Amino acid sequence: MDDELILDGNAAAGLLASIFRADVSGSEGRCAHCGTVSVMATLRVYTRGPGTVLRCPACGGVVIRVAEIAGRRVVDARGVAALRLDD
Amino acid sequence: MARSIDWQVATVAGIRDETPSVRSFTLALPDWPGHRPGQHLDVRLTAEDGYSVERSYSIASEPERPAEVDITVERIPDGEVSPFLHEVVVVGDRLEVRGPIGGYFVWEAPLGGPLLLVAGGSGVVPLMSIVRHRARIGATIPTTLLFSSRGPEEIIYRDELAALASTGDGLTVAHTLTRRQPDGWTGYARRIDEPMLAEVLSPLGSATRAYACGPTALVETVANALVRLGLPPDRIRTERFGPTGT
């Protein structure tokens, strides 16, 4: 895919905020595939296919996938081993 | 007061052309909770058949203006949203927006400096919010904006940046023009690279906080080079924009 179309987690911050009910773009998440801890804003965001996919910047594995199916949003967060919220 | 995760209706209160392909919109938002320099908002357009599309736009204005924000939008030739904003929207129109959003690519005075702000084309927008806020609060933190544009007529905020850089408050603006330079140009004339970054970083020093925004290739080049030049990775913040004209 054209590199130019790959955004970062800043672009998905609004979507993630509507799911987590908080702005998590500055929070750290641990990738379930490779264990790397990254600030959510640095994840690679792909929006030009069905739904939105956030990938780990270290290993490329899918961290979060949000799809809209029959008018409902479906969130697959299996790629997030842990998310540290700054409460 | 609306929550930042709720959609609210903004009214277009002003429109200004910055360059032939870049336009700023002032949005009146009576319920706006305020924002931090560097944050963005999401704009949602919905067609009559229910099809909707969203895009994120960085807030260009400083937080010190109550109940209104500016966004600056580059017209992407085959874009879905920017041509509509440029060609159809007029003062008085209403847009759905959500925000402010973003807890990472922000700067406020307590974070300190010195500051190195690196912009590629319309990537200058969130950095302009930082520059404008810095001026409003009277900060004198040494700050350099390194700004890449294709040619002199495409420099967004050119006159305002020249004015801010001449006030003697510690702001330096360094331009690089990658395709067209005016006669007698003495500034940089190539894509941003490590030697250029080394030159602008040198007077700021190794305690510098860096913010880089623009096309992916530029942002990656800058971040990698700054790490090689000795900046700790946690003092480098990046924001990648989608397709731009640069």
Side-chain angles (χ1 to χ4, degrees):
Chain A
M1 171 181 290
D2 185 349
D3 224 34
E4 290 275 309
L5 299 178
I6 302 170
L7 303 179
D8 60 27
N10 291 295
L15 173 65
L16 293 180
S18 69
I19 292 165
F20 287 96
R21 315 308 279 175
D23 188 334
V24 298
S25 60
S27 301
E28 290 182 326
R30 185 162 76 242
C31 175
H33 307 290
C34 73
T36 301
V37 175
S38 304
V39 174
M40 296 301 281
T42 64
L43 265 53
R44 304 291 182 256
V45 168
Y46 299 72
T47 58
R48 303 298 168 115
T52 298
V53 177
L54 282 77
R55 291 182 178 273
C56 174
C59 76
V62 174
V63 175
I64 295 180
R65 193 192 311 267
V66 183
E68 189 156 319
I69 298 173
R72 264 188 199 162
R73 282 181 312 172
V74 179
V75 180
D76 173 355
R78 284 174 292 175
V80 184
L83 179 64
R84 186 161 79 194
L85 302 173
D86 357 275
D87 297 321
Chain B
M1 186 171 284
R3 295 181 304 167
S4 62
I5 51 178
D6 295 327
W7 291 97
Q8 52 181 296
V9 176
T11 304
V12 178
I15 296 177
R16 175 159 96 183
D17 283 331
E18 305 285 354
T19 76
S21 62
V22 176
R23 172 172 283 195
S24 290
F25 300 83
T26 297
L27 305 178
L29 286 154
D31 267 347
W32 186 245
H35 69 279
R36 302 160 71 195
Q39 287 188 307
H40 64 270
L41 50 75
D42 292 343
V43 172
R44 177 169 71 187
L45 302 180
T46 306
E48 282 172 4
D49 65 359
Y51 173 75
S52 77
V53 61
E54 296 175 21
R55 290 290 184 271
S56 298
Y57 294 108
S58 290
I59 298 167
S61 51
E62 65 275 34
E64 285 78 11
R65 285 165 47 192
E68 68 176 27
V69 297
D70 289 349
I71 58 172
T72 297
V73 178
E74 177 175 12
R75 188 188 180 286
I76 304 304
D78 34 1
E80 278 196 85
V81 174
S82 62
F84 174 82
L85 294 177
H86 275 246
E87 291 154 22
V88 178
V89 167
V90 296
V91 171
D93 278 353
R94 306 209 302 202
L95 297 172
E96 278 195 297
V97 305
R98 171 174 65 187
I101 302 162
Y104 168 72
F105 198 78
V106 294
W107 180 82
E108 287 159 314
L111 286 175
L115 287 181
L116 174 60
L117 311 175
V118 184
S122 56
V124 73
V125 177
L127 303 179
M128 197 59 178
S129 179
I130 292 173
V131 167
R132 286 168 166 163
H133 171 64
R134 178 188 171 283
R136 282 281 214 139
I137 63 175
T140 55
I141 291 173
T143 300
T144 294
L145 169 65
L146 175 60
F147 188 5
S148 175
S149 308
R150 285 179 301 188
E153 71 290 349
E154 301 201 33
I155 300 174
I156 306 168
Y157 313 128
R158 177 180 51 188
D159 293 343
E160 184 179 346
L161 285 171
L164 288 171
S166 66
T167 61
D169 72 352
L171 173 68
T172 300
V173 178
H175 291 285
T176 181
L177 302 180
T178 59
R179 286 198 203 169
R180 294 173 293 276
Q181 301 84 31
D183 292 340
W185 177 250
T186 56
Y188 294 116
R190 64 186 195 273
R191 289 176 181 259
I192 295 176
D193 56 25
E194 189 171 327
M196 188 188 301
L197 288 163
E199 284 177 13
V200 299
L201 183 60
S202 165
L204 295 173
S206 57
T208 297
R209 282 188 177 276
Y211 292 79
C213 184
T216 289
L218 179 146
V219 167
E220 288 195 342
T221 296
V222 170
N224 292 337
L226 289 176
V227 168
R228 282 195 300 271
L229 289 170
L231 280 195
D234 64 354
R235 291 181 84 84
I236 303 169
R237 298 198 181 183
T238 59
E239 180 156 300
R240 296 148 187 256
F241 275 17
T244 73
T246 48

